[in-house]
Amino acid sequence: MSSHDHEHEHSLVPSEPALRIKALESLLVEKGVLDPAAVDEIIDVFEHRVGPRNGALVVAKAWTDPEFRKRLLADGTAAVRELGFLGMQGEEVVAVENTQNVHNVVVCTLCSCYPWPLLGLPPAWYKSLAYRSRVVIEPRKVLEDFGLKVSDDKEVRVWDSNSEVRYIVLPERPAGSETLSEAELAELVTRESMIGTGVAKAPA
Amino acid sequence: MNGVHDVGGMQCFGAVLPEENEPVFHAEWEKRVFGTMCLAMIDGHFNVDELRHAIEHIAPAEYCAVPYYGKWLRGMEDRLIAHGVITREELERKWAEVQGKGAAA
Amino acid sequence: MSVTSKEAVWPIVTSSGHLRVELDRPARYKVGDRVLTKNVNYPAHTRLPRFARGKIGTVHLVHGGFPFPETMAQSGDPKPEYVYSVRFEARELWGAEGSPKDAVYVDMWDSYIEPAPETGR
């Protein structure tokens, strides 16, 4: 069924992935079905224009605007769209809130699903077999790999994003941040705190 | 399908190793795979579910050893061939060309 | 089939499209319902992970209608169904090794679940 079944028999396959994608890209360009300038553009979008800063702005707004927080938790998709964060791999969004009693953490056990418009592309560890396999069965130990100890009286909720719904964690607002502006608060929101493998930074 | 990709609950993959100040991409070729993949799907050559299924068909040892974007590349080649966007012969000819082996017939 | 240009990239990747679809039937389950996941083992594509097959959980959220991955992978036919977020206690999934306090939430297409038996577990 799949042409992969025979792949290893082909000694022609370039051992270097750089050559292998070069071959495919140049073939597609020759055939007129790919514009290399569009490839450059999409790389630039996800390397420089879309990243965890977007998610941090959502979190900071939820921390300072109780009505927005309510909307975010009730309908994440609509709330993040209010701020203009929508698009590929973020069409439907659910936000889950960390509290005194609950710590949330997100994974995709089957592949690497991740809310691109809010967090950009996932880090290598998120896509690793170690993370994908272990966080559902021993979340507390995995969080310790990140230096995060969740107290025994807190409940840990692991969210497997195995459908097209994308999850983002709304981390707890750090103590001592009461006087900070929304922009200053956004600086405390790390990527890991929105996946759930970390918490927001304490104010300096 | 009961494939090697379905790893939830396995305990054999060791520690999770976060990287300090990780770049979005680790090599130029990863960027090209990413961009080409996005456009292939945007242009409607295949859908995400069949791509995932193609990646699930990568042989287990290879699935575990190949880097992330290497799996994307294999899945993408498989789907582009399956839908007749390219042929395996054309791809093999390009492979020979980029490796400096000349354009075989 | 059109070839995406450089100028078209940004509008497309930030487009306002939804994957959720309206279904002309009500959801079979509501929040709080106990469901049993099917023990599927077909060779086709599925998004029902092995660790969550044959397990009892509770519907936490009704996400709405979404294309069905099995038919999408096979033929591109969406055949949309309701998808639910279902909560599984760690003990249900992992036995005695599971934490008595923790839980895993897995998204379930309607085809993946049936009502949980009244008795047992």
Side-chain angles (χ1 to χ4, degrees), chain A residues 103 105 135-136 139 155-159, chain C residues 87-91 93-94 99-105:
Chain A
H103 183 88
V105 59
V135 76
V136 284
E155 175 188 329
V156 175
R157 295 180 181 170
V158 184
W159 299 81
Chain C
R87 174 189 168 105
F88 299 91
E89 302 304 320
R91 282 276 164 95
L93 298 177
W94 315 116
S99 151
K101 220 173 164 60
D102 301 341
V104 182
Y105 292 71

Side-chain angles (χ1 to χ4, degrees), chain C residues 17-89:
Chain C
H18 280 282
L19 297 174
R20 200 191 317 248
V21 290
E22 287 298 320
L23 298 180
D24 59 3
R25 55 186 187 270
R28 259 206 304 166
Y29 303 99
K30 60 182 190 304
V31 172
D33 283 354
R34 273 162 45 85
V35 294
L36 170 65
T37 60
K38 291 186 187 168
N39 181 19
V40 303
N41 286 284
Y42 41 70
H45 179 61
T46 182
R47 295 295 282 180
L48 173 48
R50 258 176 291 183
F51 74 85
R53 296 179 191 167
K55 305 293 183 186
I56 288 178
T58 307
V59 174
H60 168 74
L61 271 177
V62 182
H63 285 313
F66 285 86
F68 191 49
E70 273 75 344
T71 52
M72 282 297 287
Q74 196 160 35
S75 63
D77 184 352
K79 292 202 169 193
E81 304 188 346
Y82 280 98
V83 175
Y84 310 86
S85 167
V86 177
R87 174 189 168 105
F88 299 91
E89 302 304 320

Side-chain angles (χ1 to χ4, degrees), chain B residues 8-87:
Chain B
M10 291 176 85
Q11 297 166 313
C12 51
F13 292 111
V16 181
L17 303 169
E19 180 185 337
E20 283 287 322
N21 301 314
E22 186 182 336
V24 176
F25 297 100
H26 291 78
E28 276 302 309
W29 71 266
E30 294 186 348
K31 300 183 189 181
R32 304 315 294 181
V33 173
F34 172 75
T36 307
M37 174 70 89
C38 288
L39 290 165
M41 291 211 281
I42 289 168
D43 288 342
H45 294 311
F46 48 84
N47 69 53
V48 73
D49 297 288
E50 56 174 308
L51 171 71
R52 288 179 185 137
H53 198 41
I55 290 174
E56 290 160 15
H57 272 96
I58 299 172
E62 201 179 343
Y63 182 93
C64 295
V66 164
Y68 180 74
Y69 287 108
K71 291 196 265 281
W72 274 35
L73 178 51
R74 283 159 175 73
M76 175 161 55
E77 289 170 352
D78 177 81
R79 290 297 86 197
L80 290 170
I81 291 168
H83 287 280
V85 180
I86 59 171
T87 66

Side-chain angles (χ1 to χ4, degrees), chain A residues 2-4 7 10 12 14 20 25-26 30-31 40 42-43 47 112-113 123-124 132-134 145 164, chain B residues 5-7 9 13-14 16 22 31-32 35 38 52 54 62-63 68 74 77-78 90 92 94-95 99:
Chain A
S2 164
S3 50
H4 286 134
E7 172 173 300
H10 281 270
L12 282 171
R20 189 162 172 173
E25 194 182 344
S26 95
E30 261 173 39
K31 286 182 155 275
D40 296 339
I42 207 154
I43 293 164
E47 209 173 12
S112 55
C113 298
R132 286 164 47 195
S133 60
R134 287 179 52 216
D145 287 353
E164 295 310 325
Chain B
H5 68 286
D6 186 1
V7 295
F13 292 111
V16 181
E22 186 182 336
K31 300 183 189 181
R32 304 315 294 181
C38 288
R52 288 179 185 137
E62 201 179 343
Y63 182 93
Y68 180 74
R74 283 159 175 73
E77 289 170 352
D78 177 81
E90 289 169 336
E92 287 178 359
K94 269 288 171 197
W95 283 345
Q99 292 177 102

